[in-house]
Amino acid sequence: MQKVSSQQGLKFINQQKILNLIYNESPISRVELAERTFLTQQTVTNIVNRLMEDDLVMERKSTAGSRGRRPVPLVINSGKMFAVGVEVAVKYVSAKLIDFSGNVINRSKYEVDVFKEGEETLACIQNAVNKILKSIPKKSELKGIGVSIQGLVDSKQGIVMNSPGLAWKDFPLVEKLKETFDFPIYIENDVNLLAIIENQKGSLMNSENNLVLKFDHGIGGSIINNKQLYVGSSHVAGEFGHIKAFSGSEAYKCHCGAMGCLTTLASNSGLIKNIEVTLEEFTSRVREGGEEETKLLETITNAIGVALGNVVTFMNPDEILLTGKVIELLGDIVVPQLEEIVHTNVPESCRNIKLHHINKPLDESILAGKLVIKKYFDVPLEILSLK
Ligand SMILES: [Zn+2]
């Protein structure tokens, strides 16, 4: 974060507090803003005037009450603010331009067989973003670019630590993108991103402590503790796929070097490597009543259930959100069984845990755009810290 004087910092924080309240609780009046922020009426009026001049906030027509005019409600001018969201997946880059109400204004997509070099993946993002930037009337109306990435991401430093599918290792993605785009740029791991957005205004809105687990080509996990993302000391917290879950003849060697990790069978890549079947093929054989596959699915479900039970006992979350292709294709069979296993395996004191799942994957490029919107309204507490 750039250095600012304490007065500038305070001014910025007050403005962000006002913006944040208008975004989250609009329509809201100037009087209510003053009450909620403990700022004087005059300070609120000055800030609101500035925000209106910049086209960030607008007045909505006030409704006449029984006793004269009611205070004028303020709302975000969301049709004049835009964000770009990018999803970088193993076989494509998809970019969307959205306004701050979440409407998609423009989109572009680049497909590839395989990303061979990190610079090639970067060029794909640059092309996809450049293509849709043309639809923005004024450059100043674009508030940032968000990027969703499958892999280990240090979002604070803007570095992709490891993403074999995207050919990135310790890749300074934010720095590289800043060479082309003069906008705030945010990057986040795909599962963390889903957790952040679902916790803000989605299905996990009313949960304080929760886990988001994605069973897909690999397995990813995210931990939310008191509404904050917990990333651990080296950004690898939530690696649910490497929990030891299989033993004996079912313990296959994992790409991490260990044996019997959950991901060796409970993900698409695990099934391909160890059973030589894709998730889609495996699903149809289960649906056709294949004995071997049904038995294997039971083993996998049981392993996930026991692992979930252990994590719930250890962390005491209030909700778990399951997502990814495995859940999408087999959720109707797997999720009810998981609920039963988890509720049987955890101590009575943890049994209030709620398990739910997403049947259809959410669009990650839109989630990445929503990350920009969230960041735009965040009140930056680090500006106050001594570091
Ligand atoms: Zn492993």
Side-chain angles (χ1 to χ4, degrees), residues 82-94:
F82 300 92
V84 168
V86 184
E87 175 192 4
V88 194
V90 177
K91 291 201 172 285
Y92 63 86
V93 170
S94 156

Side-chain angles (χ1 to χ4, degrees), residues 128-265:
V129 173
N130 268 326
K131 209 168 166 190
I132 55 175
L133 279 188
K134 291 169 193 149
S135 323
I136 301 172
K138 268 201 267 171
K139 276 275 152 67
S140 62
E141 292 175 353
L142 180 68
K143 305 304 179 191
I145 300 172
V147 187
S148 165
I149 294 152
Q150 295 176 6
L152 281 182
V153 176
D154 179 345
S155 55
K156 271 204 173 138
Q157 306 292 330
I159 294 168
V160 182
M161 294 154 64
N162 194 17
S163 178
L166 308 180
W168 285 334
K169 186 148 180 63
D170 295 324
F171 192 81
L173 182 59
V174 169
E175 194 187 306
K176 294 264 187 185
L177 286 172
K178 285 214 162 176
E179 288 169 13
T180 319
F181 304 112
D182 187 20
F183 304 103
I185 293 167
Y186 310 99
I187 64 172
E188 191 53 88
N189 159 273
D190 57 341
V191 187
N192 285 349
L193 176 65
L194 177 66
I196 291 168
I197 303 301
E198 287 298 296
N199 268 276
Q200 193 196 13
K201 288 192 170 187
S203 61
L204 296 168
M205 223 170 104
N206 299 319
S207 160
E208 283 297 313
N209 303 296
N210 52 70
L211 308 173
V212 176
L213 301 171
K214 185 176 179 181
F215 295 83
D216 208 88
H217 189 65
I219 298 175
S222 179
I223 302 165
I224 298 287
N225 175 36
N226 288 327
K227 276 292 182 212
Q228 297 295 315
L229 185 67
Y230 175 79
V231 295
S233 49
S234 50
H235 298 269
V236 290
E239 282 283 6
F240 193 71
H242 297 285
I243 284 185
K244 303 304 161 273
F246 303 104
S247 58
S249 61
E250 281 146 2
Y252 294 95
K253 186 153 193 192
C254 179
H255 60 87
C256 74
M259 299 288 290
C261 293
L262 199 56
T263 193
T264 56
L265 287 174

Side-chain angles (χ1 to χ4, degrees), residues 18-26 28 33 57 74-76:
I18 300 274
L19 258 182
N20 188 291
L21 277 171
I22 300 175
Y23 173 61
N24 282 308
E25 305 194 18
S26 69
I28 186 167
L33 285 171
V57 165
L74 298 163
V75 292
I76 294 294

